Structure formats: C-alpha cells, structure tokens
Amino acid sequence: FNNKEKTFGDLAIEYSQDPSAKRNKGDLGFFKAFSMVTEFENMAYETPIGEVSMPFLTEHGYHILYVNPKWL
C-alpha cells in the first residue's frame, strides 16, 4: 500500500462499517484455510503480497483487502 498521506489502517478506521476496524485498523492478522467465507479467502490468496485487492462482495458485504508484506 503506497499512500503517502494515509495508511490502509487510517482508511479502514475512516471508511469501514465493521465496528472492529476502529480497534484493529482493518488488520485481520493471519487466518487458517477454511476459516473465512470462500470469496474472502480466495481473494486473500489471489491478491499479491503488498497489493490491494479489487472490491469484492461476500454475504457480509463489500470488502477491500491489503495483503501485508510483513511476517510478524
């Protein structure tokens, strides 16, 4: 994510309708296979590391993913 003014976390806090984004800044951490809905998991694995996904729809609404290049 290459925005000089705001981070992905800043944008998640500002625009996400998910109440947890206020505390986790949109960072879902690592998750195991088959622990998310299929569309979400597929997009997470298909989006290159360090890139932002295209918007996509699941049963929970619209999402945009940033695949963090850091292994913590």
Side-chain angles (χ1 to χ4, degrees):
F1 187 73
N2 192 12
N3 183 318
K4 305 286 186 212
E5 295 178 24
K6 292 188 178 187
T7 66
F8 185 84
D10 294 334
L11 295 171
I13 289 169
E14 187 173 347
Y15 294 107
S16 179
Q17 294 179 355
D18 180 351
S20 72
K22 302 295 184 225
R23 71 174 184 285
N24 67 18
K25 299 181 182 177
D27 187 345
L28 303 177
F30 294 98
F31 52 86
K32 294 180 182 181
F34 309 113
S35 63
M36 300 287 196
V37 295
T38 302
E39 300 87 357
F40 193 95
E41 195 166 295
N42 287 345
M43 189 61 77
Y45 290 117
E46 291 172 9
T47 303
I49 294 172
E51 299 290 326
V52 177
S53 72
M54 294 297 295
F56 62 99
L57 180 64
T58 72
E59 63 192 69
H60 302 287
Y62 285 94
H63 310 275
I64 299 173
L65 294 176
Y66 169 61
V67 181
N68 193 331
K70 293 184 180 182
W71 294 86
L72 303 175

